């Protein structure tokens, strides 16, 4: 069962039907088949075998979508990376994943150097306009390709996810797991032949790559394709779409737009939101301004989508709906035992969409599962009387900024490595646009001095820009509990006034 073949069986009979709709040009389902065949033939010519990794750090273009689908066709494992990742981060991914092929922007000099150092011969380029050696070399290949037969358990993709300790982990996702989630979401969200999705999410994470793209492909319909989220462009194209998906920040910006109104959203039958908590205020203002309700869903790289509100039942702010029909969900407390109804505990699940483990880290995989086979999400929730799940917090030290997960540990490690620093702590603080944003507090050795610009420059050098704390402060000491552990909740309270002043500008 190859996921591509499962999609292809559902393509429209008329292959001239639109798949990717851009302002300047439309790519049809026939184009999809031809373009993916060319790239798949190229991968095979490069001796890529089933299970080999194709690591990709490129801007969002239709050609990048074709590259993903071509990897599926050729039995290769697609490994997308956030375009914001810096050389230090990329070096780790290269060493850990050992890709057979790397595709990057022609201007990505640092990554190309790293590939040379790692002895990776197959480096192809793809720029923000969809041009590069990948496109030219694929164009020289045949436009026909027999999709490689794979097993349900064979990997289709690896997506890296950072953690509260240690280095990022490669989340292994099989063809079967991805197909299961696509089919479930397609049915639950009632996609039909009239649907047109407005796609403006990045395609290196679960939300844009799987939730948005897979439901479209499973439906065999078209999507209006934006290279990134720009609210004016969204406003211009909403009246041509029927489905919109976004992280909460997309909605925060949309409801502030002067043109946001019932008329603007008239054609949209489904507004989906996820990847981070949606504020009750955003949920309510959205409905007040356009008369429609956002459908919240909750998911995770390791598990695909886990819960969703129902289309034909009222939704409630602060809840993420019910477990998907094929997901078994429990709220667990001490010793992984289910808590009493209504109590808070960790969300633990079984699902056909679950990952196959962390790449080359079986011990980390084992840590994330209970003895009776439930996956431990690290999210804290309660079940409401009608069965809806309300996420109330996280057991993991993580913040979500504009839909991107940020792990304080990564930032603290960079700061702690600077001369004169004793220690640091990073916490997520409320942010009107990003939901949460980072605050870093650091302490210095007696007599030491350090310029904040140096701290900021070191962070920018080492880490993707969205991970950089918005505010960095010096402190005499950090609050600790009796065990000597830094109390991050106390830190949040202590620095709240300074943070609010900072936001006020
Ligand atoms: C950009 N910046 C951010 C940021 N994005 N800061 C904090 N958090 C973010 N998310 C910073 C940049 O570093 C830069 O700072 C400045 O903001 C402007 O950058 P930009 O690139 O012009 O910003 P913008 O285009 O406005 O991007 C914001 C955004 C984008 C919200 C549109 O972050 C986005 O598309 N987020 C979606 C993330 C996503 O797809 N998540 C799904 C994960 S899957 P400076 O200082 O450098 O100028 C998942 C599972 C599930 O979680 O359930 O779905
Ligand atoms: P990622 O590891 O990037 O896939 O992010 C997954 C995490 O995002 C989950 O573990 C949750 O903490 C968070 N998340 C996803 N969807 C939602 C949602 N609808 N509401 C609150 N948090 C969410």
């Amino acid at each position: 069962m190859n996921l591509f073949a499962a999609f292809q069986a559902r393509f429209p009979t008329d292959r001239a039907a639109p798949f990717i709709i851009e302002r300047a040009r439309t790519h049809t389902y026939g184009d999809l088949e031809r373009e993916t065949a060319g790239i798949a033939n190229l991968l095979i010519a490069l001796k890529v075998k089933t299970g080999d990794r194709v690591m990709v750090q490129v801007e969002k273009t239709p050609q990048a979508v074709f590259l993903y689908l071509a990897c599926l066709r050729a039995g290769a494992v697609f490994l997308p990376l956030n375009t914001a990742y810096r050389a230090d981060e990329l070096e780790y991914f290269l060493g850990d994943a050992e890709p057979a092929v790397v595709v990057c922007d022609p201007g990505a000099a640092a990554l190309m150097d790293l590939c040379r150092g790692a002895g990776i011969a197959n480096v192809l380029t793809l720029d923000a306009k969809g041009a590069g050696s990948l496109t030219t070399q694929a164009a020289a290949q045949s436009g026909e390709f027999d999709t490689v037969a794979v097993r349900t358990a064979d990997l289709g993709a690896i997506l890296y996810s950072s953690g509260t300790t240690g280095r990022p982990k490669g989340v292994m996702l099989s063809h079967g797991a991805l197909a299961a989630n696509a089919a479930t979401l397609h049915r639950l969200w009632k996609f039909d032949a009239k649907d047109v999705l407005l796609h403006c999410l990045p395609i290196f994470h679960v939300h844009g790559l799987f939730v948005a793209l897979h439901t479209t492909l499973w439906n065999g319909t078209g999507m209006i394709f934006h290279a990134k989220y720009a609210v004016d462009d969204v406003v211009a194209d909403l009246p041509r779409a029927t489905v919109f998906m976004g992280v909460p920040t997309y909605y925060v910006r949309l409801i502030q737009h002067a043109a946001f109104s019932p008329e603007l959203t008239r054609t949209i039958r489904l507004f989906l939101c996820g990847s981070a908590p949606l504020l009750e205020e955003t949920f309510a203002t959205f409905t007040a301004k356009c008369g429609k309700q956002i459908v919240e869903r909750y998911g995770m790289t390791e598990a695909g989508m886990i819960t969703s509100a129902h289309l034909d039942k009222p939704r409630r702010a602060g809840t993420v709906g019910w477990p998907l029909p094929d997901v078994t969900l429990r709220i667990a407390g001490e010793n992984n035992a289910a808590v009493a109804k209504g109590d808070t505990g960790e969300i633990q699940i079984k699902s056909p969409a679950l990952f196959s483990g962390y790449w080359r880290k079986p011990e980390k995989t084992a840590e994330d599962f209970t003895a009776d086979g439930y996956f431990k999400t690290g999210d804290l929730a309660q079940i409401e009387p009608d069965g809806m799940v309300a996420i109330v917090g996280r057991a993991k030290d993580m913040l979500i900024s504009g839909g991107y997960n940020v792990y304080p540990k990564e930032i603290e490690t960079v700061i702690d490595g600077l001369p004169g620093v004793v220690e640091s702590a990073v916490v997520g603080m409320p942010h009107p646009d990003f939901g949460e944003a980072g605050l870093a507090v650091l302490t210095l050795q007696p007599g030491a001095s350090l310029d904040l610009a140096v701290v900021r420059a070191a962070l920018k050098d080492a880490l993707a820009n969205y991970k950089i704390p918005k505010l960095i402060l010096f402190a005499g000491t950090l609050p600790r509990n009796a065990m000597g552990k830094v109390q991050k909740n106390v830190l949040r309270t202590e620095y709240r006034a300074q943070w609010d002043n900072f936001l006020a500008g």
Side-chain angles (χ1 to χ4, degrees), residues 160-162 205-206 248 273-278 296-302 305-307 319-320 377-379 391 393-394 396 398 400 403-405 407:
Y160 273 89
S161 164
S162 295
H205 288 308
V206 164
C273 182
S275 305
L278 179 71
E296 281 189 77
R297 98 296 179 281
Y298 151 71
M300 206 176 160
T301 307
E302 284 88 337
M305 296 304 100
I306 300 168
T307 72
T319 62
V320 292
T377 63
D379 291 308
I391 298 175
R394 290 176 208 127
K396 46 199 173 189
M398 174 184 101
I400 307 183
Y404 288 138
N405 295 2
Y407 289 85

Side-chain angles (χ1 to χ4, degrees), residues 256-272:
Q256 285 168 3
H257 198 283
F260 187 69
S261 65
E263 182 48 30
L264 185 80
T265 57
R266 195 180 46 81
T267 59
I268 306 288
R269 68 166 187 90
L270 182 57
F271 278 107
L272 282 157

Side-chain angles (χ1 to χ4, degrees), residues 201-202 205-207 228-229 247 249-250 253 275 297 299-300 305 401-404 434 460 465-466 470:
L201 286 151
H205 288 308
V206 164
H207 200 159
K228 59 182 293 211
Y229 177 84
V247 300
T249 301
Y250 291 14
R253 294 183 186 181
S275 305
R297 98 296 179 281
M300 206 176 160
M305 296 304 100
S401 188
Y404 288 138
F434 293 126
K460 283 205 162 197
N465 56 8
Y466 65 86
K470 302 289 178 210

Side-chain angles (χ1 to χ4, degrees), residues 311-392:
L311 268 56
D312 32 14
K313 290 186 192 160
R315 295 126 213 179
R316 207 162 50 244
T319 62
V320 292
W322 290 265
L324 300 191
D326 47 6
V327 170
T328 307
L329 182 149
R330 74 180 177 199
I331 305 293
E334 291 284 305
N335 302 322
N336 298 318
V339 299
K341 207 163 182 208
D343 283 359
T344 299
E346 183 189 41
I347 300 179
Q348 300 187 343
I349 59 156
K350 291 187 180 185
S351 162
L354 269 179
F355 70 134
S356 320
Y358 294 114
W359 172 253
R360 292 180 177 165
K361 288 187 171 57
E363 69 300 340
K364 295 273 179 204
T365 308
E367 280 170 20
D368 277 2
F369 282 85
T370 64
D372 57 349
Y374 279 80
F375 172 65
K376 305 195 273 187
T377 63
D379 291 308
L380 301 177
Q382 297 161 353
I383 305 277
E384 308 225 326
D386 59 359
M388 280 223 217
V389 176
I391 298 175
V392 295

Side-chain angles (χ1 to χ4, degrees), residues 35-111:
E35 299 278 349
T36 57
I39 301 172
N41 277 314
L42 175 61
L43 294 176
I44 299 296
L46 294 173
K47 309 247 178 311
V48 170
K49 299 180 300 304
T50 297
D52 282 352
R53 278 78 55 214
V54 176
M55 184 180 274
V56 177
Q57 192 192 32
V58 297
E59 294 297 335
K60 180 179 172 187
T61 57
Q63 289 71 24
V65 173
F66 296 144
L67 172 59
Y68 162 51
L69 298 173
C71 286
L72 293 177
R73 282 193 94 167
V77 182
F78 186 67
L79 199 158
L81 295 175
N82 194 319
T83 45
Y85 289 146
R86 311 278 299 156
D88 286 359
E89 293 161 306
L90 296 171
E91 186 172 15
Y92 168 75
F93 295 129
L94 269 185
D96 191 56
E98 296 188 309
V101 177
V102 172
V103 184
C104 63
D105 191 90
L111 179 53

Side-chain angles (χ1 to χ4, degrees), residues 98-369:
E98 296 188 309
V101 177
V102 172
V103 184
C104 63
D105 191 90
L111 179 53
M112 290 188 194
D113 278 350
L114 289 171
C115 289
R116 256 190 298 279
I120 297 167
N122 296 322
V123 179
L124 298 164
T125 60
L126 185 64
D127 70 13
K129 292 200 164 85
S133 61
L134 175 84
T135 320
T136 35
Q137 291 184 33
Q141 299 283 336
S142 160
E144 293 193 3
F145 182 81
D146 285 334
T147 296
V148 171
V150 297
R151 288 163 306 175
T152 311
D154 281 333
L155 300 185
I158 293 180
L159 271 66
Y160 273 89
S161 164
S162 295
T164 45
T165 56
R167 305 302 303 258
K169 300 166 285 189
V171 178
M172 301 192 286
L173 297 158
S174 68
H175 284 250
L178 296 172
N181 215 222
T184 299
L185 298 178
H186 178 263
R187 203 171 48 246
L188 193 75
W189 292 339
K190 301 184 179 182
F191 274 85
D192 74 22
K194 293 185 293 304
D195 276 324
V196 179
L197 171 84
L198 177 47
H199 192 307
C200 46
L201 286 151
I203 53 169
F204 37 67
H205 288 308
V206 164
H207 200 159
L209 183 65
F210 300 144
V211 185
L213 184 59
H214 286 184
T215 45
T216 299
L217 285 162
W218 206 262
N219 200 42
T221 47
M223 56 182 180
I224 300 168
F225 195 77
H226 291 179
K228 59 182 293 211
Y229 177 84
V231 71
D232 287 336
D233 295 343
V234 169
V235 163
D237 278 339
L238 267 183
R240 299 199 293 147
T242 65
V243 180
F244 180 80
M245 294 185 192
V247 300
T249 301
Y250 291 14
Y251 287 97
V252 168
R253 294 183 186 181
L254 193 55
I255 58 180
Q256 285 168 3
H257 198 283
F260 187 69
S261 65
E263 182 48 30
L264 185 80
T265 57
R266 195 180 46 81
T267 59
I268 306 288
R269 68 166 187 90
L270 182 57
F271 278 107
L272 282 157
C273 182
S275 305
L278 179 71
L279 290 181
E280 299 201 11
E281 181 193 321
T282 313
F283 180 92
T285 308
F286 183 91
T287 301
K289 285 198 171 178
C290 82
K292 300 197 172 173
Q293 273 197 323
I294 296 173
V295 171
E296 281 189 77
R297 98 296 179 281
Y298 151 71
M300 206 176 160
T301 307
E302 284 88 337
M305 296 304 100
I306 300 168
T307 72
S308 173
H310 280 194
L311 268 56
D312 32 14
K313 290 186 192 160
R315 295 126 213 179
R316 207 162 50 244
T319 62
V320 292
W322 290 265
L324 300 191
D326 47 6
V327 170
T328 307
L329 182 149
R330 74 180 177 199
I331 305 293
E334 291 284 305
N335 302 322
N336 298 318
V339 299
K341 207 163 182 208
D343 283 359
T344 299
E346 183 189 41
I347 300 179
Q348 300 187 343
I349 59 156
K350 291 187 180 185
S351 162
L354 269 179
F355 70 134
S356 320
Y358 294 114
W359 172 253
R360 292 180 177 165
K361 288 187 171 57
E363 69 300 340
K364 295 273 179 204
T365 308
E367 280 170 20
D368 277 2
F369 282 85

